């Protein structure tokens, strides 16, 4: 059986003593190589959970383990951040150098990786995210999607076992979002990298192996994209949308059309409509 890379046991967190719990007794595991999506409205606690996975935050109660390392033990912090890299919402906050390849080299340099190995990693990681031809460009001249791919290359160059994307497409236009999502999918499927994607875009969540839906700091739903999104009324009650094609299937069923409830994509909708015809 696949081993768990991340284990959250009864995790609670509050931002100050008087506040209500931002994360409320949460339990889940992430398997090695899995693509997990965490969905939730703004303020649901999903980003707070993400920040526990690479020890930016430490639980008020309960435990988080990353490859069996306890995040609340300060001796483990550096090690944990090497194992679980994080890509944030705004790429400008993550880019530190004035040349793309120097930015990607920054993390491995801080880890004390030998120069020859750094050079190899920088080239390899820029190729992985399709940004190698921009290696000598200034990051500030790149588009939002390109900057985010450089930020991903910078995290990949540190050779983590898991990458957490904390709303990493939220500030991008649709084409930038598509670029970044195809990069995320590729590093998961081609390189078997464990991916945790925090998002509120339902179309991105369709790609996941498993979805966790968070609301008011608790896990309210968990399952495959097909399982989660076919529960349209439950999702709406939580205040979340479903993919457009799932919504269309839901409305058609409500109008008396005998169509499958768990359609996720345009292709699936087309083939189902052809079947009905």
């Amino acid at each position: 059986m696949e081993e768990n890379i991340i284990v959250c046991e009864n995790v609670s967190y509050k931002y100050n003593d008087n506040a209500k719990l931002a994360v409320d007794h949460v339990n889940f595991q992430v398997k090695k190589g899995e693509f997990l999506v965490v969905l939730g409205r703004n303020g649901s606690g999903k980003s707070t959970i993400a920040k526990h996975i690479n020890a930016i935050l430490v639980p008020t109660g309960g435990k988080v383990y990353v490859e069996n390392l306890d995040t609340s033990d300060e001796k483990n912090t550096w090690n944990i951040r090497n194992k679980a890299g994080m890509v944030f919402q705004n790429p400008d906050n993550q880019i530190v150098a004035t040349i793309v390849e120097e930015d990607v080299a920054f993390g491995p340099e801080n880890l004390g990786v030998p120069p020859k190995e750094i050079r190899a990693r920088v080239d390899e990681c820029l190729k992985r995210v399709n940004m190698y031809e921009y290696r000598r460009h200034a990051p500030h001249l790149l588009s939002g999607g390109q900057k985010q791919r450089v930020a991903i290359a910078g995290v990949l160059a540190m050779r983590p076992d898991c990458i957490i994307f904390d709303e990493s497409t939220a500030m991008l236009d649709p084409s930038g979002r598509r670029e970044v999502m195809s990069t995320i999918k590729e590093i998961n499927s081609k390189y078997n990298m464990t991916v945790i994607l925090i998002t509120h875009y339902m179309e991105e969540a369709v790609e996941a192996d498993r979805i966790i839906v968070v609301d008011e700091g608790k896990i309210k739903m968990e399952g495959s994209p097909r399982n989660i999104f076919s529960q349209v009324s439950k999702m709406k009650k939580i205040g979340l949308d479903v993919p457009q094609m799932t919504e269309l299937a839901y409305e058609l069923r409500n109008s008396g059309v005998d169509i499958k409830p768990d359609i996720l994509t345009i292709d699936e909708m087309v083939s189902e409509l052809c079947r009905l015809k």
Side-chain angles (χ1 to χ4, degrees):
M1 202 172 87
E2 291 265 16
E3 58 184 302
N4 290 322
I5 187 169
I6 289 149
V7 176
C8 293
E9 289 179 353
N10 214 23
V11 174
S12 297
Y13 183 80
K14 52 167 74 173
Y15 281 99
N16 58 53
D17 288 343
N18 308 320
K20 71 179 193 120
L21 291 171
V23 176
D24 189 354
H25 298 89
V26 160
N27 291 283
F28 70 93
Q29 297 85 33
V30 185
K31 289 191 168 34
K32 206 167 171 40
E34 186 174 16
F35 186 168
L36 176 74
V37 163
V38 182
L39 287 177
R41 298 179 294 181
N42 287 341
S44 61
K46 62 187 187 300
S47 284
T48 306
I49 290 171
K51 290 183 176 81
H52 276 78
I53 296 170
N54 80 338
I56 290 175
L57 298 176
V58 171
T60 313
K63 289 287 184 189
V64 177
Y65 298 97
V66 177
E67 293 194 4
N68 300 318
L69 296 173
D70 181 348
T71 61
S72 53
D73 184 339
E74 280 179 20
K75 293 198 297 290
N76 293 334
T77 304
W78 187 242
N79 235 337
I80 284 164
R81 289 191 185 153
N82 287 344
K83 291 175 185 299
M86 199 148 186
V87 179
F88 296 96
Q89 198 175 92
N90 188 346
D92 290 330
N93 295 345
Q94 210 155 350
I95 289 173
V96 292
T98 53
I99 304 289
V100 164
E101 61 183 6
E102 288 174 9
D103 190 78
V104 178
F106 181 77
E109 276 169 0
N110 281 337
L111 296 176
V113 175
K116 207 170 161 189
E117 166 72 3
I118 290 175
R119 176 76 264 165
R121 284 193 195 187
V122 168
D123 290 349
E124 178 207 345
C125 294
L126 282 170
K127 283 174 185 166
R128 277 193 193 187
V129 301
N130 296 316
M131 287 298 290
Y132 182 70
E133 65 193 90
Y134 295 92
R135 64 193 178 282
R136 302 235 156 74
H137 282 53
H140 72 274
L141 299 176
L142 300 174
S143 71
Q146 289 171 326
K147 284 181 190 172
Q148 199 59 291
R149 278 148 63 200
V150 170
I152 293 170
V155 173
L156 284 173
M158 293 188 278
R159 297 270 163 90
D161 297 323
C162 167
I163 301 188
I164 304 124
F165 295 90
D166 188 10
E167 307 238 19
S168 306
T169 63
M171 299 183 75
L172 305 179
D173 62 20
S175 76
R177 278 212 300 278
R178 277 194 300 275
E179 283 172 25
V180 171
M181 272 313 293
S182 81
T183 301
I184 292 172
K185 276 180 345 206
E186 186 164 314
I187 59 179
N188 172 249
S189 59
K190 203 166 163 185
Y191 303 102
N192 202 34
M193 174 87 62
T194 307
V195 165
I196 298 169
L197 175 66
I198 316 293
T199 186
H200 54 261
Y201 292 113
M202 301 305 137
E203 267 67 24
E204 293 178 359
V206 166
E207 309 292 346
D209 296 321
R210 182 166 56 110
I211 293 174
I212 287 174
V213 179
V214 178
D215 197 42
E216 295 177 334
K218 294 184 170 79
I219 292 177
K220 293 290 174 84
M221 297 167 77
E222 188 175 345
S224 69
R226 233 172 255 294
N227 168 274
I228 295 292
F229 289 135
S230 60
Q231 300 177 63
V232 179
S233 50
K234 194 169 179 185
M235 288 288 279
K236 285 182 181 298
K237 212 166 163 186
I238 292 172
L240 292 171
D241 287 325
V242 297
Q244 285 177 327
M245 290 303 118
T246 317
E247 175 95 32
L248 179 56
Y250 175 72
E251 295 298 346
L252 287 169
R253 282 178 72 80
N254 285 348
S255 312
V257 179
D258 182 21
I259 195 167
K260 286 197 309 193
D262 60 353
I263 290 170
L264 297 175
T265 64
I266 291 175
D267 288 349
E268 288 178 11
M269 177 59 81
V270 169
S271 64
E272 183 66 358
L273 291 173
C274 289
R275 182 189 70 79
L276 289 173
K277 211 168 89 179

